[in-house]
Amino acid sequence: MSTRPVPLYYYSSASGMVRLFAERVCEGTGRQAHDLGVRAVRQSVPDEPWVLVTPSYKTGNPDNDTIPEAVRRFLANPVTRRRLVGVLGSGNRNFGRHYQAAARQIAAASGRPLLLEFELQGTRWDVDDARRILADLDASLAGTALADGTLAAPTL
C-alpha cells in the first residue's frame, strides 16, 4: 500500500500550457509529473495509480481526432489503462462543443472520473482545486490495494 502522491502523466503541445499547469500542481507537493511528449515516458508503464492531464485540440473539423496521439499511444497498454484513476482536462472555450472533448472521451471510455476541467494553463484557483482533488484522491487510494496487487476502485 503506497502513500506516495499519485503521479501526473501529461501531454503538452509546443505552447507548454498543460506542462505549466502540471508543474504548478506538483510544485512543493512531492507529486511527480511525467511528460508524454518524451518517448521513454510514453513507452513506460506506470507501476502505481496515476492521473492523466490532457489537452483537447478539436476545433470543429470532424476529420480531426481530439485525443493527442501521444496520449492515445500511452493508453494503448492495458496495464497503463487499468492503473489510470482519473483525468484532468485542459481546453479552450473557443472550441465550443468540442471544449474538453479529449478528457471527456477518455473518462467515459475508461470509466474513470473527470476530476477537473480548466481552460488553457489554468488559473491559480484551478491549481488549488487540482491540488485539493488530488490530495483527496491520494487519501482515498491509501490502503485500497487488494491482496492480489490490483486496486480497489477509489471512492471520490
Side-chain angles (χ1 to χ4, degrees), residues 13-128:
S13 68
S15 71
M17 286 191 250
V18 174
R19 176 190 48 77
L20 179 60
F21 179 81
E23 288 173 353
R24 289 167 48 211
V25 167
C26 293
E27 186 178 339
T29 67
R31 188 176 312 282
Q32 295 183 352
H34 304 280
D35 183 356
L36 293 174
V38 175
R39 184 178 184 163
V41 173
R42 194 170 51 250
Q43 292 178 338
S44 69
V45 176
D47 61 358
E48 59 191 341
W50 64 281
V51 169
L52 174 66
V53 188
T54 187
S56 292
Y57 296 120
K58 193 167 188 173
T59 59
N61 180 347
D63 296 329
N64 285 346
D65 190 8
T66 185
I67 300 173
E69 184 61 25
V71 172
R72 184 176 300 286
R73 287 176 186 235
F74 190 60
L75 292 172
N77 183 297
V79 174
T80 297
R81 287 193 309 272
R82 247 189 336 267
R83 292 180 178 155
L84 172 66
V85 293
V87 182
L88 302 171
S90 170
N92 185 327
R93 292 188 193 281
N94 291 337
F95 291 178
R97 67 183 180 90
H98 300 290
Y99 174 70
Q100 299 294 347
R104 291 174 184 173
Q105 286 177 333
I106 292 167
S110 67
R112 301 310 194 271
L114 180 54
L115 300 170
L116 179 71
E117 296 178 351
F118 59 95
E119 190 166 16
L120 303 173
Q121 67 187 22
T123 65
R124 70 174 186 241
W125 298 285
D126 294 326
V127 170
D128 290 344

